[in-house]
Amino acid sequence: MIEVRELSKRYGDTVAVDALSFDITPGVVTGFLGPNGAGKSTTMRMLLGLDHPSAGSVTVDGRSYRDLPAPMHEVGALLDPKAAHPARTARAHLRWLVRAGGLPRSRIDEVLALVGLSEVADKRVGGFSLGMYQRLGIAVALLGDPATLLLDEPANGLDPEGIRWMRNLLRGLAAEGRTVFVSSHLMTEMQQTADRVVVIGRGRLIADVDTAELVRRGSGGQVKVVSPQPAALSALLTDEGATVRGDSDGALLVSGMDSARVGDIAMAHGVRLHELTPRRVSLESAFMELTDDSASYRSRGLGAVDTEETATVAHTPATGRPEGSD
Ligand SMILES: Nc1ncnc2c1ncn2[C@@H]1O[C@H](COP(=O)(O)OP(=O)(O)O)[C@@H](O)[C@H]1O
Ligand SMILES: [Mg+2]
């Protein structure tokens, strides 16, 4: 259990983290979402005691990181995947950490197998791709078999197969009862991975919700209806309090009413339906709506650059991976 309370961090004039409060509970994967520069890494560094809060506090199981008696067993972290010395082999990198942490050497082969690096264990990490560095970083995080995992943008540089692998790994670790907190600037990546998302922008909390709830909220209960009597249906639904608009294909998009009620009203008035579909909205578009609505996010003088940055979050994988390649 991670508890963040009124956590703030300033660097000179920059407010990197602004009075954040949230809890990260065990047994689920919690995504930490926000555009580049939102304050995700800064928050994670404060969690690990690598940076001092300007105000507020963050604790892991009731203690600050520095007071944890066996930190490697309690918190495993991946902040900078390139933190390994390029001239060392993957195995040598892990051996050094195992020794520093007083962990059993048998753990080295276990974690190498877990992250799929057994075959390159004796290769120098200098020749590794970014994806392999990420896997090694995850191996390091897992060395102490920690109850809490903090991973900062672990999907960067992974190919679609790597992303799927990581998704399963994280879900498995959470299912074992661990606390899994994983950041990303890509909404699409989190949609299938995270049970919960904490969304921040400009250091501030925008949302702290179940992924399903966020998608539901974003959809606003929209229903797509196709009928050969659109005008009659539209009038009936509007009379019952729904908001109805037509889309370009001649379908009706109904808000403020669920699909069962739409069907019942049509039935009661003998209006034929050819299609009745609760519209599913992606986490990505829910996020866009959320940030559109967020006064705190918008009211701080977002200029063209920031708007572009927000768009980048939703649409452009930083890795150059084609959208939807997973
Ligand atoms: N050591 C630092 N010194 C000065 N500014 C920093 C430092 N670290 C982060 N920042 C600033 O704090 C803000 C948040 O950065 P960061 O936590 O890295 O965001 P994210 O990880 O969400 O991309 C950015 O404006 C960044 O430039
Ligand atoms: Mg970051």
Side-chain angles (χ1 to χ4, degrees), residues 38-61:
K40 303 180 297 295
S41 298
T42 303
T43 301
M44 286 192 157
R45 281 201 306 275
M46 289 193 281
L47 265 161
L48 292 166
L50 297 173
D51 231 334
H52 290 283
S54 307
S57 68
V58 52
T59 55
V60 180
D61 295 331

Side-chain angles (χ1 to χ4, degrees), residues 241-259:
T243 306
V244 182
R245 62 186 176 84
D247 80 359
S248 49
D249 300 333
L252 302 177
L253 297 176
V254 183
S255 314
M257 188 177 280
D258 66 13
S259 55

Side-chain angles (χ1 to χ4, degrees), residues 41-103:
S41 298
T42 303
T43 301
M44 286 192 157
R45 281 201 306 275
M46 289 193 281
L47 265 161
L48 292 166
L50 297 173
D51 231 334
H52 290 283
S54 307
S57 68
V58 52
T59 55
V60 180
D61 295 331
R63 304 190 222 212
S64 71
Y65 184 83
R66 265 162 290 138
D67 298 330
L68 294 174
M72 277 181 94
H73 183 55
E74 285 162 87
V75 183
L78 164 64
L79 289 191
D80 174 13
K82 294 268 183 176
H85 193 288
R88 284 216 178 103
T89 66
R91 190 190 302 283
H93 179 62
L94 293 171
R95 200 184 293 134
W96 170 76
L97 288 161
V98 153
R99 211 174 292 146
L103 301 167

Side-chain angles (χ1 to χ4, degrees), residues 11 14-17 34-43 45 51 152-153 200:
Y11 296 106
T14 307
V15 181
V17 174
N36 289 321
K40 303 180 297 295
S41 298
T42 303
T43 301
R45 281 201 306 275
D51 231 334
D152 194 7
E153 307 256 5
I200 64 169

